[in-house]
Amino acid sequence: MTDRLNERSAAALPGGVARPAYDRAGQRIGIVHLGLGAFHRAHQAVYTDDAMAAGDRDWAIAGASLRSAGVCDALAPQDGLYTVTERSAEGEATRLIGAVRAVTVAAQNPDRLAALLASADTRLVTLTVTEKGYWRRPDGTTDLPGLVADGNSIYHHLATAVTARRRAGLSPLSLVSCDNLPDNGRVLRAGVTAFLDHLGHAQDRDWFERTWRCPNTMVDRIVPAVTEADRARVAATLGLTDAAAVITEPYRQWVIEDDFAEGRPRWQMGGAQFVSDVAPYETAKLRMLNGAHSALAYLGLERGHDFVHQAVADPVIRPVVETLMRQEAATSFTPAPGQALDAYADALLRRFANPALPHRLAQIASDGSQKVGPRWLASLAAHGRRGETAPATLTALGAWLRFIRTGSAASPDPMAEALVALWQEAGTAGIVDRLFGHDGLMAHDWQPTAGQRAVLQDRVAS
Ligand code: CS2
């Protein structure tokens, strides 16, 4: 049995493992993060670690899981330390991350989270809570009854923070959504406002609207779920057990609207880009990367593949995905000046092909009802307006429709039950209209033209 990674044992790590280049103990907590999953540990925490290594102070992270205690249980005995291993065909590099200084679980200890959010040192909240964590209905409104019944939504914690900070005369915060939603900052702001309204907290709402900041961001890094074999390999590298290790690709990107209430770390030291308008980057990422990912997931699973690198090498699937990215997604919006979408597509195909980083299609196929809107439907709507069909995207959508017919235990979806019931009622002949036709369950993002409808109907049946 190898020893566990922690402050003390880390001193003996092999020289090849890079370590925090700053005094951890001297850093106060400046960021509270909601959703302490692998993506955060491989992304925002790494940029923050880079900023602190470059000399920034007091931006250490207190991470909160909303529900599950797994990550907290893994990180607490490790003093918040964990490693990030980047893997590619060229080899791998492992680095110790020191940015996370405290961990908690909101469902078990809401008061601890409230105290962190109401601390005078806290200046930022970052969030990775997945698409469904925003409680958006298919029509774009906030599902107030749903989140009120849940009782442990991001909005509960953020509204408590607004109230506590206003009453204590503390500074406003910046709320930085790092989830794959278009206009993620605006969506977050709308949800917090709606919940404060629901609570009847007019003064808090007013203060929040005037002073808090919710910049839009685009985040990107492929972070497959860690396996037992990964953990064993990391233990061999470290000579220590790391129960919170993450495995990822060398690539990472973070594009952020530079709109903060009380400063921010110099995340640019880790390569983050600050821009005035994130939209073209966010749209390219959602429709090209994530759009291709979801297409690979549903088409790939149907053809018996398990991983992204297998599906993208399949000669039946690859042309569909290339067309979806280059001819449909990339032409569905106006890029920023100098944004080279063809080169972006080339780079994405190379990243998807990385055999050193097996990425499960079932992981990507989960929560499809929350994902297909921004990934495919918005692009279909743009093409429909021009009288074009976008057949590759419709092929992918057809595969999703077949996928949700029976639901999948390996790829859960918050709307699974409703979708299975709809299929039972509507059958192959009716499902397209019941979902996307006038008054359809998902008609908000896109209603097909007659031409698109005919193609989709044909794809569902095939
Ligand atoms: C993936 C994303 O699981 C999914 O739906 O498409 O998590 C993807 O790997 C990241 O957005 C990459 O930045």
Side-chain angles (χ1 to χ4, degrees):
M1 218 2 225
T2 41
D3 279 348
R4 191 74 176 265
L5 172 68
N6 57 33
E7 270 296 351
R8 187 190 40 75
S9 66
L13 280 174
V17 178
R19 297 142 199 253
Y22 54 87
D23 168 25
R24 276 189 95 209
Q27 302 277 349
R28 281 195 302 215
I29 289 169
I31 302 177
V32 177
H33 182 77
L34 303 181
L36 193 52
F39 186 78
H40 170 69
R41 305 205 298 286
H43 194 273
Q44 303 97 56
V46 175
Y47 285 89
T48 304
D49 204 64
D50 285 339
M52 295 199 290
D56 285 12
R57 288 286 163 269
D58 300 335
W59 291 110
I61 299 168
S65 297
L66 282 180
R67 254 168 265 283
S68 120
V71 178
C72 193
D73 290 348
L75 278 170
Q78 298 185 181
D79 304 315
L81 289 171
Y82 65 94
T83 56
V84 172
T85 298
E86 295 179 357
R87 263 190 209 156
S88 68
E90 285 75 50
E92 65 177 42
T94 299
R95 159 176 178 185
L96 183 67
I97 300 295
V100 178
R101 293 299 312 278
V103 288
T104 188
V105 182
Q108 290 174 0
N109 203 344
D111 294 345
R112 165 100 173 104
L113 176 57
L116 287 163
L117 289 167
S119 154
D121 289 338
T122 298
R123 286 174 279 169
L124 283 181
V125 180
T126 51
L127 300 95
T128 49
V129 292
T130 79
E131 294 87 343
K132 61 179 180 289
Y134 293 82
W135 292 91
R136 290 240 295 170
R137 291 208 193 84
D139 70 358
T141 56
T142 308
D143 175 10
L144 276 170
L147 71 93
V148 167
D150 177 76
N152 180 35
S153 75
I154 53 172
Y155 303 119
H156 287 83
H157 303 296
L158 294 174
T160 305
V162 173
T163 305
R165 296 189 76 91
R166 190 177 72 81
R167 302 226 165 120
L170 290 171
S171 64
L173 301 178
S174 302
L175 308 180
V176 188
S177 165
C178 303
D179 284 292
N180 288 322
L181 291 171
D183 267 344
N184 49 14
R186 193 188 48 76
V187 169
L188 179 58
R189 175 180 284 282
V192 175
T193 307
F195 189 56
L196 287 169
D197 274 344
H198 162 82
L199 296 174
H201 293 180
Q203 283 181 311
D204 292 342
R205 177 215 153 112
D206 181 53
W207 183 60
F208 171 75
E209 293 250 276
R210 277 188 298 104
T211 62
W212 289 46
R213 294 284 174 270
C214 304
N216 288 316
T217 70
M218 179 272 251
V219 293
D220 187 11
R221 193 165 215 190
I222 292 173
V223 189
V226 169
T227 63
E228 276 315 312
D230 291 327
R231 284 204 191 90
R233 205 156 125 188
V234 170
T237 304
L238 304 180
L240 295 169
T241 305
D242 177 1
V246 288
I247 311 290
T248 185
E249 59 180 342
Y251 184 88
R252 60 177 144 119
Q253 191 181 13
W254 198 4
V255 186
I256 312 169
E257 210 169 53
D258 203 356
D259 181 20
F260 287 78
E262 294 287 317
R264 56 167 173 82
R266 287 178 300 154
W267 284 318
Q268 65 270 31
M269 302 317 282
Q273 299 153 258
F274 288 91
V275 299
S276 56
D277 183 12
V278 171
Y281 303 96
E282 180 76 44
T283 306
K285 198 261 173 168
L286 281 165
R287 296 189 195 171
M288 294 177 71
L289 188 161
N290 298 113
H293 248 176
S294 291
L296 289 164
Y298 301 115
L299 294 166
L301 287 169
E302 220 168 38
R303 287 180 52 81
H305 300 299
D306 292 319
F307 298 107
V308 171
H309 67 276
Q310 298 167 335
V312 78
D314 183 327
V316 172
I317 298 176
R318 179 147 184 139
V320 179
V321 169
E322 285 222 30
T323 305
L324 179 150
M325 272 204 282
R326 296 185 198 276
Q327 285 165 38
E328 300 178 5
T331 60
S332 67
F333 67 99
T334 309
Q339 195 181 9
L341 296 180
D342 235 10
Y344 186 57
D346 293 340
L348 293 178
L349 288 166
R350 278 196 299 276
R351 290 169 63 197
F352 294 160
N354 182 355
L357 197 73
H359 191 186
R360 281 203 178 276
L361 298 170
Q363 183 181 345
I364 299 167
S366 63
D367 294 343
S369 66
Q370 313 291 302
K371 294 175 174 174
V372 299
R375 296 178 183 205
W376 297 338
L377 305 184
S379 163
L380 286 170
H383 286 284
R385 283 193 291 274
R386 292 185 215 148
E388 298 159 0
T389 46
T393 308
L394 291 170
T395 300
L397 187 58
W400 180 63
L401 292 182
R402 286 191 297 276
F403 185 81
I404 56 174
R405 183 166 197 160
T406 48
S408 152
S411 307
D413 186 308
M415 280 175 68
E417 245 177 76
L419 294 170
V420 170
L422 200 67
W423 252 110
Q424 275 166 2
E425 267 173 56
T428 311
I431 190 69
V432 169
D433 291 334
R434 294 291 297 277
L435 276 175
F436 304 114
H438 187 63
D439 285 341
L441 190 59
M442 297 181 69
H444 176 74
D445 290 316
W446 169 67
Q447 290 184 29
T449 60
Q452 288 177 319
R453 186 184 170 284
V455 175
L456 182 57
Q457 196 59 52
D458 172 69
R459 297 294 195 272
V460 182
S462 65

